[in-house]
Amino acid sequence: MLQFPGMTDDDIKVFLVEADEQLQFLEDGLLALEQSSDDPEVIAQIFRAAHTLKGSSATLGHDKMARLTHSMESALDLVRKSRIEVTSTLMDLLFECLDMLRILNREISTAQDSGADITALNERLLDVIEGVDGQEGAGASTHASARASADESACAGGLAGPGDVKIRVTFTKTCPMPSVRAYQVVDRLSALGSIAFSHPGMDRIEAGDDISDLVVVVEYDGDALEPLIEAARDVSDVESACVLQVGHVGSTRATAAAAAAAAAAVASASVQGEAAARSAAAAGAGGTAARAAATAVAAPRATTVRVDVARLDILSNLVAELVIDRTHLSQVESRLAEKHGGDEVVSELNRTSTHIGRLTTELQEAINKARMFPIDNVFKRFPRMVRDVAQKQGKEVELIIEGEDTELDRSVSEEIGDPLIHLLRNAIGHGIESPAERAKAGKPTRGTVRLSAFHQENYIVIQVADDGRGIDPEAIKASAVRKGIVTEDAAARMSDKDAIGLVFASGLSTAVKADDVSGRGVGMDIVRKNIEKLNGNISIDTVLGRGSTVTVKLPLTLAIIRALLVSLGERIYAVPLNSVREIARVELSDIKTIGGHEAIRLRGDVIPLLRLGDIFDLRDADDSEHASRHGQRVFVVVAACHEGQVGLAVDRLVGEMEIVIKSLGTFVGNVPGVSGVTILGDGRVALIVDVPSLVRRVVEERNGAGEC
Amino acid sequence: MPTILVVDDAAFMRMRVGKLLSQNGFQVLEAENGLDALNMYMQHKPDLVLMDITMPVMDGITALKEIRQVDSQAKVVMVSAMGQQAMVIESIKAGAKDFVVKPYEPDNVMVSVRKLIG
């Protein structure tokens, strides 16, 4: 039986859904890589999948998956940097790793250890990495550190340092004084190593609290784990004792051996307490009854029902359709009222349709509420992670969590976990300084990372704030120039704010050394992409020497957004309101052509101008006439995302409304520039404009032209 | 034959547990308080002591400490009532090897005893 302490069934479910997706990415990527071995996009995709799996599995506490994906990531990083070639041998190895990951994933979904051993695969990966390091004369030390870090990631799930063994002990139901038994277990283990941590804590144990199981982390020097298990099992009323995790115990091989020993120990564990079980049957036990009663009092009767998310999705969809029909109904009704004003039947229809309208709104609100749950579900896995990361880096960090009751849609909460992990790791890795450095700067040695959530209109705002060193715009500029992201000239002209914005650029990482904590610069650009995919946005405020605050703003639900409706010819488009910066009326004569592309100048800024008709190949006959119809001015909607802004030339502004997002469906597939469709009140279909992709297109198209 | 010293101020309890132990092949000695137990221990060096906690004249924890002063290898199992967690923990800190809870189940007593003396 595999157990993941601190993880609920829901957590594991979320992990599995995501892992399946990542494994699919990995497989698709590997297949594509076999076809074209030098496509950087494909290599990046594989690398990211391994990276994501590594982070998640370490957080979950699945040691084998964390170790294997860590080694894969290291090898793929070398591929990404063109330091190793994609040979058929390497492809075979990667496919074998994929198969192994699927086995490990099944271990998690079935909660059964498969007995699969990753050691051999891991060694082969390390040999690949070693080969490169050897050739380049980096020598044994780099190799050693790769190996060490592979081992290190094994304990990322929560062990304090090398030599830690985490043991879980459960007591029989009939155990008379579990806290004393727990004390005995701790007492015996302390003879074998020093006790780093226990849950419940020693104060609760010594106070005689009623406990049912015990988790102890022992700093242990021995190679074999049996003595620890034996010591724990030797105490009466111990039902089972098993090793949950092993930290850095010698080499990779020693760890594997120790893990195997632990597995054997677990297998034979519940032999104990035979006598106790028999006496339980004999006792009939007043004590047991009393305890059962106590548990009943402690756990209030639950009044919730678990519902499959798919069912809620169906309900949401039906309600969305209803909302559309309601709008349609009221339009029909007002047309009737115009025609037959004062007619008794018409006013009756009016009353009914108003009532239906109100009910529909309430129904929609109720369904939306049913899909909400507190963000605590996402936040609760962080304290442990922060502790581990901080400890590994030798930093002192206090995590303060605020607003964990803030509710958000399930669909959003499933997507937000990973970006937040990145942000927290960055805050600790790049933000918070070492205790010595902090002391020198006159700060308390213990740094603070504040994770907070609150509602703002229809958005949830999540902030990760640290009181660390802040971001130096000059360092960012220098790094961006070095990596060829911007020219030296452009950097010199860049404002501090724009320079800070560069942290979101792909391939920029100010950390000199690739590490387990903040990754290899796959961080912020992916975070931003993921958040923009959710129709959210992300920004950074930073004060050098005082700390940084990253603010993520997300819609409460992914199903409904506020949008600006605009028309172009006969067609209506929806622009998500969170990306609309402003609406301007521009004289036709003010539209300039720069390097073959249209642009407008707005308060000194040059903004590329796009015509949706051109993009979607919908140039109608009337398209060219509209300018004359509307005089010499056009409306320009300025839409922006982090990479920049574009102006969209439109004929008319229709209005602002809440729209229900429908995906284009698999048969249409991904259309560049379109993120989905929505059905309007009158039954017409409007395309939802995908602003980030348009901006990216413009940036790519016009970068060659110099100015954008 | 291994010897076990049963310490309890209640004769009934000494009798019950004494019977159980002798049935299982142990030689049984009895003491009715801590001081009594200390004297018996020094005289007979039993292989194991089953020590009640709450007793007149000298309580079980004091007796345990005294006995451990005399013989640091002494094997003492505490006998406690429900609710005496803190005292049991204190005993274990003072060197008690194990504990059983009154009213005890014969099996539990035997498990504890056999664990300490084969």
Side-chain angles (χ1 to χ4, degrees):
Chain A
M1 183 75 185
L2 273 187
Q3 279 174 324
F4 302 103
M7 298 288 155
T8 63
D9 288 355
D10 274 324
D11 296 337
I12 293 173
K13 239 181 250 170
V14 170
F15 172 89
L16 287 170
V17 169
E18 186 191 73
D20 280 341
E21 193 180 84
Q22 296 299 334
L23 288 172
Q24 197 56 53
F25 282 151
L26 204 53
E27 182 172 301
D28 294 347
L30 287 177
L31 291 169
L33 189 63
E34 235 175 6
Q35 298 306 311
S36 59
S37 62
D38 54 355
D39 186 340
E41 193 57 51
V42 171
I43 296 167
Q45 177 189 343
I46 303 171
F47 176 79
R48 258 178 264 140
H51 180 80
T52 305
L53 281 170
K54 179 185 83 167
S56 303
S57 57
T59 308
L60 181 74
H62 194 283
D63 175 306
K64 287 194 279 184
M65 192 183 278
R67 264 167 45 213
L68 185 60
T69 44
H70 181 83
S71 301
M72 285 175 75
E73 187 195 20
S74 302
L76 288 165
D77 190 43
L78 296 173
V79 174
R80 191 167 70 153
K81 292 181 178 144
S82 307
R83 286 173 57 190
I84 48 178
E85 258 182 289
V86 180
T87 61
S88 63
T89 324
L90 180 63
M91 286 308 304
D92 289 346
L93 177 57
L94 289 172
F95 273 113
E96 277 179 62
C97 289
L98 174 66
D99 293 340
M100 176 59 85
L101 288 177
R102 290 203 193 278
I103 293 171
L104 299 179
N105 198 38
R106 204 148 48 232
E107 284 191 3
I108 297 165
S109 65
T110 57
Q112 297 292 330
D113 196 309
S114 64
D117 192 344
I118 61 156
T119 317
L121 277 176
N122 212 28
E123 288 291 322
R124 281 163 67 193
L125 283 169
L126 293 174
D127 287 340
V128 169
I129 300 161
E130 180 182 15
V132 172
D133 288 339
Q135 269 170 28
E136 299 194 357
S141 66
T142 321
H143 174 220
S145 82
R147 252 169 231 258
S149 72
D151 278 355
E152 203 175 84
S153 82
C155 59
L159 294 184
D164 282 359
V165 180
K166 187 183 196 176
I167 298 168
R168 183 197 195 91
V169 178
T170 62
F171 301 99
T172 60
K173 291 220 165 47
T174 52
C175 171
M177 288 181 186
S179 62
V180 182
R181 294 297 184 210
Y183 184 86
Q184 281 185 288
V185 170
V186 174
D187 190 43
R188 303 232 172 138
L189 290 176
S190 68
L192 298 168
S194 70
I195 307 295
F197 167 82
S198 82
H199 179 85
M202 287 313 286
D203 47 339
R204 277 190 57 201
I205 293 174
E206 294 202 32
D209 278 10
D210 205 358
I211 60 174
S212 61
D213 58 353
L214 171 74
V215 175
V216 189
V217 176
V218 189
E219 288 173 21
Y220 180 62
D221 288 334
D223 276 333
L225 295 176
E226 284 100 326
L228 291 173
I229 295 293
E230 290 295 329
R233 280 170 51 201
D234 192 45
V235 173
S236 298
D237 294 321
V238 166
E239 187 174 57
S240 69
C242 60
V243 172
L244 294 179
Q245 275 175 308
V246 182
H248 184 73
V249 188
S251 69
T252 320
R253 287 186 184 86
T255 313
V266 173
S268 64
S270 45
V271 186
Q272 273 295 327
E274 193 191 347
R278 255 189 293 142
S279 68
T288 316
R291 191 196 294 237
T295 331
V297 171
R301 188 172 268 279
T303 52
T304 53
V305 176
R306 293 172 70 108
V307 179
D308 195 329
V309 186
R311 290 196 191 177
L312 280 179
D313 286 344
I314 293 171
L315 279 178
S316 301
N317 258 324
L318 289 175
V319 169
E321 302 274 340
L322 201 57
V323 170
I324 291 161
D325 280 347
R326 180 214 37 205
T327 317
H328 199 184
L329 185 65
S330 67
Q331 279 170 356
V332 170
E333 178 242 308
S334 61
R335 286 225 301 278
L336 270 180
E338 267 171 37
K339 252 187 186 164
H340 314 282
D343 191 306
E344 182 64 22
V345 183
V346 172
S347 60
E348 208 175 314
L349 177 69
N350 173 280
R351 276 196 302 278
T352 315
S353 108
T354 309
H355 191 225
I356 287 182
R358 216 166 43 228
L359 289 182
T360 313
T361 308
E362 280 176 25
L363 188 58
Q364 189 178 21
E365 277 170 11
I367 295 281
N368 285 346
K369 268 223 178 82
R371 297 176 56 95
M372 299 283 191
F373 67 40
I375 197 165
D376 183 40
N377 280 295
V378 182
F379 281 4
K380 71 184 172 196
R381 55 178 161 147
F382 295 147
R384 172 72 164 283
M385 185 206 89
V386 167
R387 171 188 161 274
D388 294 344
V389 171
Q391 211 153 41
K392 208 185 272 181
Q393 299 224 328
K395 291 176 179 175
E396 293 174 29
V397 178
E398 184 181 7
L399 175 68
I400 299 173
I401 291 182
E402 290 168 340
E404 63 267 41
D405 298 335
T406 313
E407 290 194 321
L408 78 170
D409 191 278
R410 194 193 163 92
S411 51
V412 184
S413 79
E414 278 170 3
E415 302 288 335
I416 190 64
D418 271 356
L420 288 180
I421 288 179
H422 273 297
L423 294 179
L424 286 168
R425 289 189 164 203
N426 276 342
I428 302 163
H430 300 314
I432 302 290
E433 314 90 327
S434 67
E437 209 176 314
R438 290 181 66 87
K440 217 190 282 168
K443 293 177 176 182
T445 52
R446 196 176 174 80
T448 305
V449 173
R450 190 180 297 270
L451 175 64
S452 51
F454 54 90
H455 282 152
Q456 198 177 70
E457 291 156 22
N458 274 329
Y459 291 88
I460 181 167
V461 180
I462 303 170
Q463 287 183 324
V464 177
D466 67 67
D467 64 347
R469 58 171 73 91
I471 302 170
D472 182 358
E474 294 308 321
I476 296 280
K477 283 185 197 174
S479 175
V481 170
R482 209 165 46 239
K483 304 225 165 86
I485 296 166
V486 292
T487 61
E488 209 162 318
D489 208 28
R493 277 184 287 124
M494 201 171 259
S495 70
D496 282 358
K497 191 162 175 284
D498 290 342
I500 300 294
L502 281 174
V503 298
F504 294 113
S506 186
L508 186 115
S509 170
T510 49
V512 180
K513 205 176 104 248
D515 62 80
D516 193 33
V517 173
S518 320
R520 298 181 175 78
V522 291
M524 289 306 259
D525 58 326
I526 294 181
V527 169
R528 189 207 54 200
K529 260 183 208 144
N530 285 340
I531 284 169
E532 285 182 353
K533 217 164 60 191
L534 300 174
N535 276 311
N537 54 50
I538 179 168
S539 60
I540 297 189
D541 289 309
T542 185
V543 179
L544 199 56
R546 299 274 295 280
S548 314
T549 301
V550 180
T551 304
V552 175
K553 201 170 159 191
L554 290 167
L556 280 184
T557 167
L558 299 187
I560 297 171
I561 55 165
R562 289 200 73 77
L564 175 71
L565 299 185
V566 299
S567 76
L568 194 69
E570 288 299 302
R571 292 181 184 79
I572 294 193
Y573 299 88
V575 187
L577 211 56
N578 67 313
S579 51
V580 174
R581 188 155 293 176
E582 67 174 294
I583 298 161
R585 288 196 80 173
V586 177
E587 300 283 343
L588 278 182
S589 56
D590 284 347
I591 298 177
K592 308 284 184 220
T593 303
I594 304 170
H597 299 286
E598 285 185 315
I600 56 167
R601 183 181 283 276
L602 202 61
R603 286 189 297 281
D605 279 345
V606 176
I607 300 172
L609 188 72
L610 289 181
R611 294 180 186 272
L612 290 173
D614 289 349
I615 294 165
F616 300 132
D617 280 334
L618 294 172
R619 185 174 286 279
D620 301 324
D622 61 352
D623 197 26
S624 49
E625 291 166 21
H626 72 264
S628 53
R629 269 211 312 271
H630 294 274
Q632 292 307 300
R633 305 212 284 183
V634 289
F635 284 110
V636 173
V637 176
V638 180
C641 71
H642 261 96
E643 276 157 299
Q645 47 189 352
V646 288
L648 303 172
V650 303
D651 287 357
R652 210 159 52 84
L653 303 172
V654 177
E656 181 193 318
M657 68 181 281
E658 278 196 345
I659 58 168
V660 180
I661 303 174
K662 305 258 179 197
S663 88
L664 284 172
T666 44
F667 53 93
V668 180
N670 252 344
V671 179
V674 178
S675 61
V677 294
T678 188
I679 303 170
L680 302 174
D682 57 6
R684 279 196 290 170
V685 171
L687 295 178
I688 303 169
V689 177
D690 181 3
V691 174
S693 88
L694 290 184
V695 170
R696 232 164 280 144
R697 173 192 169 121
V698 167
V699 170
E700 279 163 19
E701 235 175 43
R702 306 192 182 186
N703 249 359
E707 191 89 39
C708 71
Chain B
M1 195 189 289
T3 311
I4 298 178
L5 174 63
V6 178
V7 189
D8 201 310
D9 57 334
F12 171 73
M13 295 304 292
R14 292 200 300 272
M15 187 192 78
R16 295 275 313 181
V17 82
K19 203 169 154 194
L20 171 70
L21 294 171
S22 39
Q23 273 169 3
N24 280 281
F26 296 97
Q27 191 178 346
V28 178
L29 298 169
E30 293 183 20
E32 60 177 52
N33 61 54
L35 191 60
D36 199 351
L38 181 59
N39 289 328
M40 292 283 281
Y41 192 89
M42 291 195 285
Q43 213 177 326
H44 299 281
K45 288 275 168 163
D47 298 288
L48 187 93
V49 183
L50 272 177
M51 179 83 78
D52 189 12
I53 291 180
T54 319
M55 287 181 298
V57 186
M58 183 191 279
D59 67 70
I61 296 175
T62 311
L64 161 75
K65 289 176 183 166
E66 295 286 349
I67 290 174
R68 299 269 304 175
Q69 290 261 311
V70 177
D71 178 5
S72 62
Q73 301 299 308
K75 292 170 178 168
V76 181
V77 172
M78 304 307 283
V79 178
S80 97
M82 287 300 289
Q84 289 186 319
Q85 278 94 332
M87 286 190 217
V88 179
I89 287 177
E90 196 195 330
S91 318
I92 288 168
K93 282 184 186 169
K97 298 291 183 196
D98 204 349
F99 75 105
V100 291
V101 176
K102 280 197 285 195
Y104 40 67
E105 286 301 319
D107 286 339
N108 287 354
V109 176
M110 292 321 298
V111 166
S112 266
V113 168
R114 290 225 170 86
K115 220 180 264 176
L116 290 165
I117 46 170

